[in-house]
Structure formats: C-alpha cells, structure tokens
C-alpha cells in the first residue's frame, strides 16, 4: 500500500492558504492546520471566527486537491472544556478533516479522562477522530499513559498520536508502541533529533518546537519505531527548523522535508515487504 504524506502545521507554521499551497507544490497529499494555539498567546489561525476565510480555504483545498488530515489543538489542561472547542470541530468538519489533535496536561487525571471522553463524544458528531498526543514535558508524558486514556474513554474515535521525537525523548519503548491496537492509530508524525534525552524542559521544548532534524540526520530510531507500528499509517511530516526556513524559504523546506521523509519511510517499507528467499 502506498503511504500518504501530510505536511504538519508546525513544519512551516504558515497561514492556511500558504500551508495548503506549499503542500501542493511540494507533492504532499494532505496538510494540517492550527486553529487554536498550543501555548497561551501562541500563533494560530481561527478559521471558525472568519466565515469568509473558511470558505476561501475550502475553495483552496478543492483547487489544489490537498486534503486536511488534522487540526490543532484541543489543550486539555483543566481550564478548557468541550464548549471551547466546538467551533473548531465544526470548522474541521467543513474542511473535511480527519482528526483533531488533543494535548493532555491536566494534573487532575480523573478530570482529564472525563474531558477527553467528552471531547471524543463531541468530535464523533462531526465525523472526527481525536488523536491524543503525548509529550515528555506534560501530564500525558508517554505512550503508555496515552493508551490508557484512549482505552478508558471507550470511544471508537479515540486514537494515540505517535511522534518519533516524543517516543525517543520519553520513557516510551518499542514494546509500548507494539502494544497499541492498530484500531487506535491512523497516522504517525515523523522527524529526527540529536541523540540523547535533554535534561531540561527548555531544551526539550526548543528542539521540539523550533529545530528538529530531517529523518536520517539525527539519533532517533525511526525505522525501529516504524517496525513497531502498523504498516498503513499516514505519515505526517513535522520538522520545524527556523534556521533552515530562513536559509531555504518555506517552499523549499516543504520540499526537502517531504523528500527526506519519503525516502526514509519508503526505503523501510520496501525492506519490510521484500519476499524472503527460502533455500531448497
């Protein structure tokens, strides 16, 4: 099965029209959009608050043939509730998106579980899955915890989002990845990073949000992770690099991120599906 590739919002951090245009020009199949900020006061493009811009974005998708894989971000931190995310969910449905990304950072585990379950219920009415992403600096810090929350929700549209850098920099093991049911995954985010696990939260955040590496440039065991995951997952390319965008420009960086990611994934897929010769 041929993989589909998506240009993650964070790779370029562009507005919706630019993201879609760069995705189409580079040869991506899909793209991601950020409608709500990951941090208070952070960058986002709330299409739900501008009906005209939302309509223009839908037209842009139709004209380019790009689909929307994911929209961001429902931050479950104890201060937000489902009503805060409903406008984003409705807009995501109009865009034909497949999923909304959720980030769990509520210190009250029981409340976080209830909020996530309620979000899944609301998202289902808009034909959306909810992908819970774990990050080593938040309350949902590894794949084991994300899997438990997803499974305890009992929601058929609840999934675990795997990001290769967060696997490498958390306590997540390859066995943890293999233990996630295939029905609880639909895509994987891919990138590389320097080897080792930073000891400070600041360094973790800096690399994750500003300076990741192209697949094959760093120390992340990308092929080991892919081997532990279903073979048909969509690949979301999430490789932000402020330095190299300044050097190459957004369009060229979009092209380079896809080229490196596709080479890594397709080389691995070819080896995984290569027939094993048996001597007589």
């Amino acid at each position: 099965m041929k993989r589909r590739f998506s240009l993650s919002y964070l790779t370029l951090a562009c507005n919706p029209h630019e993201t879609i245009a760069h995705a189409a020009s580079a040869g991506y199949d899909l793209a991601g959009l950020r409608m709500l900020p990951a941090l208070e006061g952070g960058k986002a493009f709330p299409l739900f608050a501008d009906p005209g811009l939302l309509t223009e974005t839908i037209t842009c998708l139709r004209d380019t043939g790009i689909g929307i894989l994911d929209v961001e971000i429902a931050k479950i931190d104890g201060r937000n509730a489902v009503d805060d995310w409903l406008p984003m969910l409705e807009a995501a449905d109009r865009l034909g998106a497949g999923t909304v990304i959720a980030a769990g950072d509520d210190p009250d585990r029981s409340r976080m579980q209830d909020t996530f379950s309620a979000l899944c219920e609301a998202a289902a009415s808009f034909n959306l899955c909810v992908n819970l992403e774990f990050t080593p600096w938040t309350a949902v810090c590894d794949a084991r915890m994300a899997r438990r929350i997803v499974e305890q929700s009992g929601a058929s549209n609840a999934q675990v989002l795997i990001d290769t850098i967060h696997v490498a920099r958390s306590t997540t093991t390859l066995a943890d990845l293999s233990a996630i049911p295939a029905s609880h995954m639909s895509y994987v985010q891919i990138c590389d990073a320097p080897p080792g696990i930073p000891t400070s939260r600041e360094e973790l955040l800096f690399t994750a949000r500003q300076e990741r590496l192209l697949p094959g440039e760093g120390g992340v065991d990308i092929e080991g992770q892919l081997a532990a995951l279903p073979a048909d997952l969509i690949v979301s390319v999430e490789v932000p690099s402020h330095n190299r965008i300044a050097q190459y420009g957004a369009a060229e960086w979009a092209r380079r991120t896809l080229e490196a990611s596709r080479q890594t994934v397709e080389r691995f897929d070819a080896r995984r599906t290569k027939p094993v010769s048996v001597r007589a």
Side-chain angles (χ1 to χ4, degrees):
M1 177 181 293
K2 183 180 177 182
R3 298 264 196 172
R4 290 192 293 164
F5 289 81
S6 180
L7 175 60
S8 171
Y9 162 79
L10 192 60
T11 297
L12 302 180
C14 290
N15 68 47
H17 287 189
E18 290 172 332
T19 298
I20 294 165
H22 290 316
S25 178
Y28 282 92
D29 307 290
L30 303 157
L33 304 178
R34 179 167 288 178
M35 292 197 216
L36 290 174
L39 299 172
E40 188 173 351
K43 192 175 181 181
F45 301 91
L47 293 175
F48 53 82
D50 189 335
L53 185 58
L54 176 60
T55 299
E56 291 174 11
T57 303
I58 294 170
T59 300
C60 187
L61 291 171
R62 184 180 65 243
D63 291 345
T64 59
I66 294 293
I68 296 300
L69 172 63
D70 51 29
V71 298
E72 305 180 42
I73 187 167
K75 188 175 181 181
I76 304 173
D77 58 6
R79 294 177 291 180
N80 296 312
V82 171
D83 286 349
D84 299 313
W85 303 314
L86 287 177
M88 177 176 66
L89 299 180
E90 182 177 7
D93 183 30
R94 290 193 58 193
L95 290 164
T99 190
V100 58
I101 297 176
D105 199 21
D106 189 342
D108 185 327
R109 171 63 190 278
S110 177
R111 181 175 59 193
M112 180 163 59
Q113 181 70 63
D114 290 344
T115 304
F116 178 77
S117 299
L119 173 59
C120 290
E121 182 179 0
S125 65
F126 294 103
N127 304 303
L128 292 164
C129 292
V130 180
N131 265 267
L132 180 61
E133 183 172 17
F134 63 89
T135 50
W137 59 85
T138 61
V140 183
C141 59
D142 58 34
R144 294 183 299 277
M145 183 174 291
R147 178 190 172 191
R148 285 196 297 271
I149 293 171
V150 164
E151 291 182 342
Q152 289 176 16
S153 75
S156 61
N157 63 332
Q159 298 180 340
V160 178
L161 178 53
I162 304 300
D163 187 323
T164 55
I165 189 175
H166 300 327
V167 173
R169 295 188 163 195
S170 70
T171 59
T172 300
T173 66
L174 297 182
D176 293 333
L177 299 185
S178 298
I180 303 172
S183 60
H184 287 161
M185 291 179 282
S186 57
Y187 69 112
V188 56
Q189 292 178 329
I190 190 173
C191 71
D192 213 332
I197 301 176
T199 57
S200 71
R201 185 176 188 271
E202 290 73 22
E203 189 178 352
L204 283 168
L205 288 170
F206 175 78
T207 304
R209 291 174 175 167
Q210 297 185 42
E211 291 298 335
R212 302 189 190 190
L213 301 178
L214 292 170
E217 290 184 335
V220 175
D221 183 13
I222 295 174
E223 293 199 358
Q225 292 187 39
L226 291 175
L229 298 172
D232 60 349
L233 297 183
I234 296 169
V235 178
S236 175
V237 178
E238 188 169 69
V239 194
S241 175
H242 294 190
N243 287 335
R244 288 199 269 191
I245 288 177
Q247 179 181 359
Y248 299 122
E252 177 62 13
W253 187 237
R255 188 193 69 79
R256 287 175 181 244
T257 55
L258 176 59
E259 180 181 39
S261 300
R262 177 173 278 152
Q263 287 178 353
T264 295
V265 173
E266 292 186 349
R267 184 170 57 245
F268 168 77
D269 285 346
R271 286 201 297 272
R272 175 150 65 177
T273 58
K274 184 178 181 180
V276 178
S277 59
V278 180
R279 292 184 179 181

